[in-house]
Amino acid sequence: MKIVILNASPRKNGNIAQMVGEMCSEAERLGADTEVIEVQKLNVRPCIACMKCRSAHACMLPEDDAQRVLEKIKAADALIVAAPCYWGNMPGTLKVLFDRIVYGLMDESPRGIPVGLHKGKRCVLASCSTTPWPLNILMHQSHGAIRALKEVCSYSGFKIVATVEKGGTKHNTTLSDGEKRKCHKAIRRLLR
């Protein structure tokens, strides 16, 4: 199985990087092939809202990393999206990427109803926030980022099989054994 992992955190050794590392290790231990894409390092121009991609099924902007990432997602069997919480949502760099590749994630019916292009593929979502647990859930911080990621992935047709959230990362800079187990469990669900 080929798994593409979108790591949307700029922190090299932060909680998201640790989650991604745990998920990669577990996936590879179970025989999957993983590729981590560092979203912060991509060269992606913002969408200009021309809407031509909806009918042409291709972006009209000059090719950049957005199209290359889309091809990797299309070729993958599964997707992991790991993103820190920025103001109760995903980081802007990840949102710009999703905006630019919307035509390859979903189509729409003649009535404008979204049609996912990745039906049959599975997905895991992960997020963390500095807001301490359980406030990260109750105040829609990491939970807000997960909610936004669920919307993108669900409309794209992915079946979300697990989510992993962590609060209080300002003072908890490493994953606990329990959090590592959650990452491993998410991968086992992904590979079922």
Side-chain angles (χ1 to χ4, degrees):
M1 177 180 271
K2 172 71 175 164
I3 304 171
V4 165
I5 304 169
L6 298 178
N7 176 355
S9 176
R11 293 181 184 234
K12 222 164 101 170
N13 300 310
N15 282 273
I16 291 293
Q18 292 172 53
M19 288 178 179
V20 166
E22 289 296 325
M23 290 184 202
C24 276
S25 295
E26 183 68 2
E28 289 168 0
R29 185 184 74 77
L30 296 172
D33 179 26
T34 62
E35 180 177 0
V36 177
I37 297 170
E38 304 288 341
V39 175
Q40 301 291 334
K41 295 179 181 176
L42 297 175
N43 177 23
V44 178
R45 290 182 51 196
C47 176
I48 59 170
C50 69
M51 300 303 283
K52 291 180 182 170
C53 68
R54 297 300 181 109
S55 56
H57 302 288
C59 184
M60 299 296 109
L61 291 175
E63 187 170 319
D64 60 18
D65 289 335
Q67 292 91 339
R68 289 184 273 286
V69 169
L70 177 59
E71 290 309 310
K72 290 174 186 271
I73 292 171
K74 285 179 176 180
D77 301 302
L79 178 68
I80 297 171
V81 185
C85 170
Y86 285 15
W87 287 96
N89 211 315
M90 69 181 88
T93 51
L94 182 59
K95 178 67 166 70
V96 167
L97 175 65
F98 284 143
D99 288 346
R100 281 288 306 287
I101 63 175
V102 65
Y103 66 90
L105 297 176
M106 61 170 259
D107 202 354
E108 57 188 22
S109 73
R111 292 179 162 235
I113 306 296
V115 176
L117 298 176
H118 295 271
K119 288 188 192 287
K121 293 184 180 183
R122 298 161 74 81
C123 182
V124 168
L125 305 174
S127 186
C128 63
S129 111
T130 57
T131 306
W133 184 87
L135 298 177
N136 65 308
I137 306 291
L138 298 172
M139 295 173 67
H140 301 291
Q141 292 304 301
S142 63
H143 202 64
I146 291 290
R147 184 188 69 241
L149 295 173
K150 278 183 178 179
E151 187 165 327
V152 170
C153 294
S154 294
Y155 278 123
S156 299
F158 289 98
K159 179 180 181 183
I160 299 160
V161 298
T163 61
V164 180
E165 293 181 56
K166 179 180 178 174
T169 59
K170 184 176 185 179
H171 300 293
N172 273 323
T173 58
T174 58
L175 296 182
S176 69
D177 289 341
E179 290 161 340
K180 290 176 184 179
R181 283 192 298 273
K182 284 181 185 177
C183 290
H184 297 178
K185 184 177 178 182
I187 291 302
R188 289 192 296 276
R189 283 181 154 177
L190 188 69
L191 297 177
R192 279 188 193 153

